[in-house]
């Protein structure tokens, strides 16, 4: 009986391994996404929540680049200048499974008025690499945000 159970388990493990190998060969971005997308979604939610609450020191932990102190100073200056995030919604990670990017709507206070901007995020495993804002008309605040958060 024990040998039969062990053989069945071994067959299931072999089939699962072959299935994963086939998935990696046919659609590698989907296979990688199975592991990375939940991690990246958690990083994006953490980053956006921390930015919206003004916790720039904490948000910097979710950033995947080395200029964290410069980033914190820039975000604090934006807030003093009257431009700061207060919330987000519609977070999708991945937005495009082939590229593994994310999308969200971020709500800002801009000179005393609420504005919502569409953000595109890219990732390094477990960190937000970019959070680029897209807008209809140019704004010095958006330009500053993108200099801090969007590395073309």
């Amino acid at each position: 009986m024990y040998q039969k159970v062990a053989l069945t388990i071994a067959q299931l493990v072999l089939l699962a391994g072959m299935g994963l190998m086939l998935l990696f060969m046919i659609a590698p971005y989907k296979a990688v996404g199975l592991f990375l997308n939940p991690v990246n979604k958690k990083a994006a939610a953490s980053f956006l929540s921390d930015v919206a609450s003004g916790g720039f020191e904490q948000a910097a932990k979710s950033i995947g680049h080395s200029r964290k102190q410069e980033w914190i100073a820039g975000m604090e200056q934006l807030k003093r200048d009257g431009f700061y995030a207060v919330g987000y919604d519609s977070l999708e990670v991945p937005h495009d499974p082939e590229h593994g990017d994310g999308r969200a709507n971020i709500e800002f206070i801009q000179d005393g008025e609420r504005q919502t901007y569409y953000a595109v995020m890219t990732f390094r495993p477990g960190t937000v690499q970019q959070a680029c804002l897209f807008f209809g008309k140019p704004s010095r605040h958006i330009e500053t945000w993108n200099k801090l958060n969007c590395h073309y």
Side-chain angles (χ1 to χ4, degrees):
M1 179 70 176
Y2 173 75
Q3 290 176 334
K4 193 173 185 179
V5 170
L7 182 61
T8 303
I9 291 173
Q11 289 173 334
L12 289 173
V13 169
L14 181 64
L15 282 173
M18 289 174 59
L20 273 175
M21 210 167 77
L22 184 62
L23 181 61
F24 268 102
M25 291 178 1
I26 293 173
Y29 59 87
K30 285 187 179 181
V32 170
L34 287 174
F35 301 104
L36 287 182
N37 290 336
V39 171
N40 290 342
K41 186 169 188 169
K42 183 178 178 183
S46 178
F47 172 78
L48 292 170
S49 293
D50 291 336
V51 167
S53 69
F56 302 128
E57 293 278 343
Q58 190 66 24
K61 294 177 183 176
S62 301
I63 296 176
H65 60 74
S66 60
R67 305 171 325 160
K68 292 181 181 182
Q69 292 305 316
E70 178 185 333
W71 181 86
I72 292 168
M75 294 297 286
E76 288 172 344
Q77 184 60 49
L78 268 175
K79 188 168 186 172
R80 285 190 298 273
D81 290 344
F83 184 79
Y84 53 95
V86 293
Y88 72 94
D89 64 16
S90 304
L91 176 61
E92 289 182 64
V93 176
H95 174 73
D96 180 350
E98 191 168 330
H99 295 105
D101 60 350
R103 303 283 196 274
N105 294 322
I106 306 176
E107 187 174 0
F108 289 89
I109 298 296
Q110 180 171 317
D111 300 325
E113 295 182 24
R114 287 188 181 268
Q115 297 284 336
T116 301
Y117 292 97
Y118 180 69
V120 175
M121 292 170 284
T122 61
F123 304 94
R124 284 190 181 163
T127 63
V128 175
Q129 182 63 28
Q130 298 185 99
C132 305
L133 295 182
F134 290 89
F135 49 91
K137 60 181 184 173
S139 153
R140 66 182 170 89
H141 297 304
I142 299 298
E143 185 178 314
T144 302
W145 170 280
N146 282 341
K147 284 181 183 175
L148 291 167
N149 293 291
C150 193
H151 322 287
Y152 298 108

